[in-house]
């Protein structure tokens, strides 16, 4: 694979008219190959002047007529980086989602990806569970399966996970995760239970409550989202390709 090339990873997960849908793609970041798949959270900067925000990859597809490789992502900003700013109602681990999803060509999305997140200080620092403890009763595999079914609509990601493993990546490399507010509250409640009763860490209730989100990652930063806002300047970004989203919606609604 050429350093500046893009390629799909894994088998297609859907076909609708001129559109082929995929689960993941591979690109190079600072000279190293990396794979992003549906449901992944990662740091981006939409323009050099914009603050760092979090993107959640939600859709990947190729328009066969134009040969365009496209993506749809949800963006999350810190409250202080929104027009209304941060106020006393915002939690310390809260982010706010842009009301409209952003559709961007893959070649432009990879330019947004930000590798240096050392200055990102927000989010609950999640404690990881020792993998050897989970390995004794097969719980790690169960957690991964549960996470796959909840975050990725039940799609089979075995081929993608194998490709990530071949590159030296795995599910433990997740640096940030955005939960819904109910999920976040549940997570905090489970952390309290673990502190009060450490033996509960290996129970099925613990596994289901966390949904495999933080257990299989190396100390990710946990945030939550419960509100949206209209981004004032995002529509002016030359990388945004709303016309492709309109075509997709129009074509699918005609069936």
């Amino acid at each position: 694979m050429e350093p500046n090339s893009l390629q799909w990873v894994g088998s297609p997960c859907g076909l609708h008219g001129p559109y082929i849908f995929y689960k993941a793609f591979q690109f190079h970041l600072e000279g190293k190959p990396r794979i992003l798949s549906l449901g992944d959270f990662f740091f981006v900067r939409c323009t050099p002047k914009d603050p760092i925000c979090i993107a959640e990859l939600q859709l990947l597809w190729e328009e066969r007529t134009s040969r365009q490789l496209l993506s749809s992502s949800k963006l999350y900003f810190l409250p202080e980086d929104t027009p209304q700013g941060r106020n006393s109602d915002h939690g310390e681990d809260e982010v706010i989602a842009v009301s409209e999803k952003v559709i961007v060509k893959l070649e432009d999305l990879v330019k947004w990806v930000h590798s240096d997140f050392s200055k990102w200080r927000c989010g609950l620092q999640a404690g990881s569970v020792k993998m050897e403890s989970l390995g004794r009763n097969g719980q790690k595999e169960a957690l991964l399966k549960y996470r796959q079914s909840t975050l990725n609509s039940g799609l089979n990601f075995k081929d993608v996970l194998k490709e990530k493993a071949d590159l030296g990546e795995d599910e433990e490399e997740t640096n940030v995760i955005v939960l819904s507010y109910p999920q976040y509250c549940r997570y905090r409640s489970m952390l309290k239970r673990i502190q009060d009763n450490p033996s509960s860490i290996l129970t099925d209730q613990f596994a289901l409550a966390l949904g495999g989100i933080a257990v299989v990652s190396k100390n990710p930063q946990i945030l939550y989202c419960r509100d949206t806002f209209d981004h004032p300047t995002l529509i002016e970004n030359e990388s945004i390709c709303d016309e492709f989203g309109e075509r997709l919606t129009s074509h699918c609604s005609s069936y």
Side-chain angles (χ1 to χ4, degrees):
M1 181 180 177
E2 295 296 324
N4 296 322
S5 64
L6 299 164
Q7 67 180 34
W8 298 121
V9 174
S11 58
C13 60
L15 177 64
H16 193 97
Y19 306 105
I20 307 176
F21 299 91
Y22 291 88
K23 297 171 288 189
F25 72 99
Q26 181 177 330
F27 66 106
H28 280 77
L29 182 63
E30 297 181 346
K32 297 180 180 179
R34 183 178 174 184
I35 293 174
L36 285 175
S37 57
L38 298 181
D40 281 354
F41 294 92
F42 51 101
F43 292 104
V44 298
R45 193 191 293 272
C46 303
T47 71
K49 296 181 179 180
D50 285 337
I52 296 175
C53 66
I54 299 168
E56 177 187 359
L57 190 59
Q58 296 190 329
L59 195 65
L60 290 168
W61 74 98
E62 179 175 344
E63 190 177 78
R64 290 186 288 179
T65 53
S66 62
R67 303 296 296 175
Q68 290 289 353
L69 311 185
L70 299 157
S71 69
S72 177
S73 301
K74 194 170 189 176
L75 299 182
Y76 302 89
F77 286 82
L78 293 172
E80 53 265 38
D81 294 327
T82 66
Q84 300 301 320
R86 180 180 287 276
N87 59 50
S88 58
D89 293 330
H90 292 129
E92 60 180 350
D93 301 324
E94 185 170 2
V95 288
I96 304 177
V98 176
S99 54
E100 297 291 334
K101 297 176 183 177
V102 293
I103 296 175
V104 181
K105 296 177 184 178
L106 285 192
E107 61 188 74
D108 291 325
L109 181 65
V110 299
K111 296 175 183 177
W112 286 13
V113 177
H114 197 72
S115 60
D116 182 12
F117 47 85
S118 59
K119 295 182 180 179
W120 182 278
R121 302 299 183 188
C122 299
L124 174 67
Q125 195 71 36
S128 60
V129 175
K130 293 182 179 180
M131 291 298 105
E132 57 267 24
S133 299
L134 293 177
R136 285 199 293 268
N137 56 8
Q139 206 166 31
K140 179 181 180 181
E141 289 72 19
L143 288 167
L144 286 171
K145 184 177 180 180
Y146 186 80
R147 180 182 181 184
Q148 175 178 304
S149 66
T150 53
L151 297 186
N152 299 314
S153 304
L155 294 175
N156 188 333
F157 274 67
K158 287 184 179 179
D159 49 358
V160 174
L161 293 176
K162 182 181 183 303
E163 292 285 347
K164 284 189 174 185
D166 290 343
L167 288 181
E169 296 184 21
D170 57 33
E171 292 296 315
E172 299 178 20
E173 298 302 321
T174 303
N175 300 113
V176 63
I177 297 171
V178 179
L179 305 178
S180 67
Y181 188 56
Q183 285 177 318
Y184 175 83
C185 293
R186 196 176 186 184
Y187 177 72
R188 293 297 298 258
S189 175
M190 290 306 300
L191 287 182
K192 183 64 168 62
R193 285 183 58 185
I194 293 170
Q195 292 172 354
D196 295 340
N197 182 17
S199 63
S200 68
I201 202 167
L202 296 180
T203 65
D204 291 338
Q205 290 83 358
F206 175 83
L208 291 175
L210 296 189
I213 291 172
V215 180
V216 294
S217 298
K218 294 178 180 176
N219 300 320
Q221 292 166 294
I222 305 293
L223 300 113
Y224 68 87
C225 178
R226 56 179 173 174
D227 202 2
T228 63
F229 76 103
D230 294 327
H231 197 290
T233 60
L234 198 58
I235 193 173
E236 301 171 5
N237 192 308
E238 295 180 355
S239 298
I240 303 295
C241 301
D242 285 337
E243 66 273 16
F244 288 105
E246 293 170 359
R247 289 184 206 172
L248 178 64
T249 303
S250 175
H251 186 87
C252 292
S253 62
S254 65
Y255 280 79

